[in-house]
Amino acid sequence: MKYLLRKVMLYVFIAWAALTMNFLIPRLMPGDPVALLVERLSGRIDPAAMDAIAESYGLTDAPLHVQYWDYLTSLAAGDLGLSIGFFPVPVSEIVLGALPWTIGLVGITTVISFLIGTGLGVVLAWRRGSRTDHLLPALTFLNAVPYFWMALILVLILSVNLGWFPVSHAYEPGLVPGWDWEFISSVLYHGILPAITIILASFAGWVLSMRNMTVTVLGEDYVTMAEAKGLPKRMVLVNYAARNAILPSVTGFALSLGAVVGGSMLTEVIFNYPGVGYTLFEAVQNQDFPLMQGLFLIISLAVIAANLVADVVYVFLDPRTRQEG
């Protein structure tokens, strides 16, 4: 379809722009990572090795277009450079170590909160004017509560006061990561409280937005016509109202999935959870520019990919986009 082809070409251009900006920003910033690394390793590094270190970071005296080509070649090979804070560990290794934790926690909870929120939003819209409207003030309050505040309150009540859940970490200290039940059960146990935090802090927004859109759609003429024809209420609600009301939420959900890679930084920091958000926090603290650069690139590409997926889903949900093609 022409519509999808245009979208793919657009996102390819945006991805190229993100890659290029990721290449230019560290070269336009004052200072360089090599000087910072040498300062930290003062007395433990041969000054003659500085040129080799600079080359490993892609900072050479070569023309800019040559550096850019080397940068793209390295990216194609999965090389994101070396970390300063964890020198000489490759950035790609650190990112790959943090991604599963964030995707496992934030990814799953984002999907759960979206499903609960949109489903409950449709029900509340259908039953508008009933006692279920009393839930709206509580949902509005939850939607206004910041993630970090929700996390701190739950930690204080459920961990510090009641002792039901651990305060921090992704698993019990001292355990060796593996596929044995002891480690898996520890990961699940430590992930319950962060998961509850994210779901409670995010699902209310989906409920309110889906309810409002569904109420608007229920007032459309085609829904009234479907009801006048005597179609079953469930069919009217799902096929006519919810299917059209969910379209704006698809974009929001795609952006949320893209943001999953970035993690809920403050939540991960509060729980000392070793995901992408916590790793980015550590990179900022350590002035680890290569690691920040690699994480920002991964997050940018994830958001771009999520938007592309949303446009593909739009093709199947909204027939008007197929007519444009």
Side-chain angles (χ1 to χ4, degrees), residues 39-62:
E39 181 182 343
R40 293 188 177 185
L41 299 178
S42 179
R44 292 181 288 164
I45 189 171
D46 185 357
M50 284 187 62
D51 291 339
I53 295 175
E55 187 174 351
S56 69
Y57 285 103
L59 302 173
T60 65
D61 295 329

Side-chain angles (χ1 to χ4, degrees), residues 19 68-81 90-93 96 297-298:
L19 292 175
Y68 184 60
W69 175 254
D70 292 339
Y71 163 78
L72 292 179
T73 305
S74 298
L75 281 183
D79 183 7
L80 298 175
V91 169
S92 57
E93 184 176 323
L96 289 176
L297 178 62
I298 296 299

